[in-house]
Amino acid sequence: LLQFQDVSKSYHRGTEEIHALRHVSCTIEDGEFVVVTGPSGSGKSTLLHVAAGLDKPDGGKVTFRGTDVFQFGSRKRARFRRRNIGFVFQFFNLVPTLNAVQNVSLPMLLDGIGKTEADKRAEDLLVQLGMESRLHHKPNEMSGGQMQRVAVARALIADPPVILADEPTGNLDSEAGAEVLAVLKDAAANRGAAVVLVTHDPEAAQIGDRRIAIHDGNILAAV
Amino acid sequence: LLQFQDVSKSYHRGTEEIHALRHVSCTIEDGEFVVVTGPSGSGKSTLLHVAAGLDKPDGGKVTFRGTDVFQFGSRKRARFRRRNIGFVFQFFNLVPTLNAVQNVSLPMLLDGIGKTEADKRAEDLLVQLGMESRLHHKPNEMSGGQMQRVAVARALIADPPVILADEPTGNLDSEAGAEVLAVLKDAAANRGAAVVLVTHDPEAAQIGDRRIAIHDGNILAAV
Ligand SMILES: Nc1ncnc2c1ncn2[C@@H]1O[C@H](COP(=O)(O)OP(=O)(O)OP(=O)(O)O)[C@@H](O)[C@H]1O
Ligand SMILES: Nc1ncnc2c1ncn2[C@@H]1O[C@H](COP(=O)(O)OP(=O)(O)OP(=O)(O)O)[C@@H](O)[C@H]1O
Ligand SMILES: [Mg+2]
Ligand SMILES: [Mg+2]
């Protein structure tokens, strides 16, 4: 479903070159739940951004169902991303002027789903994540972990075939964290989504089918 | 050193009243390391913001060495905070236009310490936290956990008597997280700082002298 073929990505600062990803190859199938772990700064967020077509690699190819994600221009890539990828950002990227339900329902509205249905599904998901008392709060009226759960719900609402979750439990206690992992696991197990979970939490790392360890831009193991 | 006397804080949204803190009383002494745990949304960040004089309570009193923190106007309170409190924010609050060393040295420069000395201390602290290869990167050239470590270093650099750390390891792997906990523990043990660590990490919760559990704005236990 989603494949990296010898993908490399560097950042340049003056004369310095930082190799964020080095010759990364891996394949993720429908319904698979892959956990990515590695030290802070090792390239995990970069991996997810390249997978989503947000960051262009310097070498190699990223394909989705065989199609090169970066053959499209940025507008077409954005539409591809909206339809196929649910992304839980490490720092959420919520719309500050919208409340929880509005933030979560946005992907469905953009897909042309009616407001009534989109809002209903947004509320159901938020309630599943323990957010029933905060449905109409805006981001600046929420705690860190509440914002994180809104970001998780937004990534899942349109039932995308690929879900990329960047440390989605970093601001959550064990109970709220377990709810997040449950909805991610359910997406893979019951709706056939390919899920890539980046996490520092050793407990969360247990729930995948397979684990990829990344270190200094290199994939060390695909277990 | 730092004392809450029957502190309450509410937010009002239309007719709804959210009790973020309910009649909280506690005392923290010099050199004490207190860990605060509790579910997402239970009031931990609010507790720290009120302790730092950033958020005014609706009831009760916060004192620092016997002085009411909120008797000052906001400008004088800001100066009090800069001199006495090192705050690691849940979402860092770094200056986007400054690099790591510049962000960390800022509190010392504001205190009138010379640039050479401030930069040296900033670098030492950053190296201690594994940041030696990222000293001159700006926030948008760093990973999430790298930004978090810069925020930690900034809170510690001026050796403040009170350190308030809001989930300072949420974006860190276990090794980088252990480095953060070590510098916090050292500040309490060897420099007499009163440290309040808010964390969701059960491992981190072990390192305090005392633990406070908060639930729906109530302090449940001061163990
Ligand atoms: N614009 C940039 N310029 C230079 N270096 C960068 C830039 N953006 C990221 N980096 C570096 O690339 C490396 C990989 O970053 P990435 O955000 O993928 O790490 P990560 O594994 O997600 O870390 P964390 O667990 O801390 O979130 C980091 O070491 C970071 O400093
Ligand atoms: N401006 C606001 N208006 C209404 N409610 C608010 C506002 N700011 C915070 N809250 C609510 O106050 C409660 C306490 O928030 P706080 O940020 O202290 O929680 P927390 O314990 O730090 O949570 P987390 O672990 O998720 O960071 C939350 O339930 C939040 O929704
Ligand atoms: Mg990251
Ligand atoms: Mg918080």
Side-chain angles (χ1 to χ4, degrees):
Chain A
L1 181 71
L2 185 68
Q3 187 166 53
F4 274 50
Q5 296 169 20
D6 197 38
V7 170
S8 293
K9 168 115 195 123
S10 288
Y11 296 106
H12 299 269
R13 293 181 67 252
T15 56
E16 186 188 16
E17 184 168 8
I18 289 156
H19 301 273
L21 294 176
R22 305 173 195 255
H23 302 289
V24 170
S25 294
C26 59
T27 303
I28 296 154
E29 309 292 350
D30 290 286
E32 236 193 336
F33 195 123
V34 178
V35 174
V36 176
T37 57
S40 168
S42 56
K44 306 180 297 298
S45 295
T46 303
L47 182 77
L48 294 191
H49 279 72
V50 169
L54 284 165
D55 245 350
K56 196 163 159 48
D58 303 308
K61 212 159 73 156
V62 180
T63 60
F64 175 77
R65 291 186 177 141
T67 306
D68 182 345
V69 168
F70 289 93
Q71 84 183 357
F72 307 132
S74 71
R75 261 189 72 190
K76 201 169 173 201
R77 229 184 307 138
R79 202 164 67 226
F80 150 80
R81 180 166 47 253
R82 225 185 58 226
R83 288 184 183 162
N84 293 297
I85 300 191
F87 204 128
V88 187
F89 290 93
Q90 191 166 356
F91 299 106
F92 324 147
N93 295 4
L94 299 182
V95 179
T97 48
L98 301 182
N99 67 29
V101 173
Q102 293 165 337
N103 261 289
V104 174
S105 61
L106 200 49
M108 289 195 106
L109 297 178
L110 292 173
D111 274 349
I113 310 289
K115 187 174 184 310
T116 307
E117 179 182 349
D119 281 2
K120 171 88 180 63
R121 180 148 161 83
E123 291 190 23
D124 290 349
L125 251 175
L126 285 164
V127 168
Q128 222 176 322
L129 293 169
M131 291 288 291
E132 59 276 4
S133 64
R134 297 290 184 267
L135 297 177
H136 307 293
H137 284 229
K138 294 193 173 66
N140 67 354
E141 297 169 322
M142 289 183 205
S143 77
Q146 290 166 349
M147 287 192 276
Q148 188 155 43
R149 284 177 276 173
V150 174
V152 171
R154 181 181 65 182
L156 268 57
I157 192 180
D159 215 356
V162 177
I163 296 165
L164 307 175
D166 202 346
E167 301 187 35
T169 63
N171 292 282
L172 299 176
D173 53 280
S174 52
E175 184 173 343
E179 287 163 356
V180 165
L181 297 178
V183 296
L184 291 173
K185 195 89 180 117
D186 173 70
N190 300 328
R191 298 207 300 282
V195 178
V196 183
L197 168 68
V198 164
T199 185
H200 283 305
D201 177 0
E203 298 248 352
Q206 301 300 325
I207 73 167
D209 306 320
R210 170 155 76 97
R211 186 162 173 170
I212 291 175
I214 185 166
H215 192 279
D216 200 26
N218 292 300
I219 287 199
L220 291 187
V223 180
Chain B
L1 182 69
L2 184 67
Q3 186 164 54
F4 274 50
Q5 296 168 21
D6 195 38
V7 170
S8 293
K9 168 114 196 124
S10 289
Y11 296 105
H12 299 268
R13 292 183 67 253
T15 56
E16 187 189 17
E17 184 168 9
I18 289 157
H19 301 273
L21 294 176
R22 306 172 194 256
H23 303 289
V24 170
S25 294
C26 59
T27 304
I28 296 155
E29 308 292 350
D30 291 285
E32 236 194 333
F33 195 122
V34 176
V35 173
V36 176
T37 58
S40 169
S42 57
K44 306 178 298 298
S45 295
T46 303
L47 182 77
L48 294 191
H49 279 73
V50 169
L54 284 164
D55 245 352
K56 197 162 157 48
D58 303 307
K61 211 159 72 157
V62 180
T63 60
F64 175 77
R65 289 185 179 143
T67 307
D68 182 347
V69 169
F70 289 94
Q71 82 183 1
F72 307 132
S74 71
R75 262 190 72 192
K76 200 169 172 200
R77 230 186 306 141
R79 202 164 65 224
F80 150 78
R81 180 165 49 252
R82 224 185 59 227
R83 287 184 185 161
N84 295 297
I85 301 192
F87 204 128
V88 187
F89 291 92
Q90 191 166 357
F91 300 106
F92 325 146
N93 295 2
L94 299 181
V95 178
T97 48
L98 301 182
N99 67 28
V101 172
Q102 292 165 337
N103 261 290
V104 174
S105 61
L106 201 48
M108 289 195 106
L109 297 178
L110 292 172
D111 274 349
I113 309 288
K115 187 174 185 306
T116 308
E117 179 181 348
D119 281 2
K120 172 85 180 61
R121 180 146 162 82
E123 290 190 25
D124 289 349
L125 210 39
L126 286 163
V127 168
Q128 222 177 324
L129 294 169
M131 292 288 291
E132 58 275 5
S133 63
R134 298 289 184 267
L135 297 176
H136 307 294
H137 283 227
K138 293 193 174 66
N140 68 353
E141 297 170 321
M142 290 183 205
S143 78
Q146 289 166 349
M147 286 192 274
Q148 188 155 42
R149 284 178 276 171
V150 173
V152 171
R154 183 182 63 182
L156 268 56
I157 192 179
D159 214 356
V162 176
I163 295 166
L164 307 175
D166 202 347
E167 302 188 33
T169 63
N171 293 281
L172 298 176
D173 54 280
S174 51
E175 185 174 342
E179 286 164 357
V180 164
L181 297 178
V183 296
L184 290 173
K185 194 89 179 119
D186 173 68
N190 300 327
R191 299 208 299 283
V195 177
V196 183
L197 168 69
V198 162
T199 187
H200 284 305
D201 179 358
E203 299 247 352
Q206 302 300 326
I207 72 168
D209 304 319
R210 172 156 76 96
R211 185 162 171 171
I212 290 174
I214 183 166
H215 191 277
D216 199 24
N218 292 299
I219 287 199
L220 291 186
V223 180

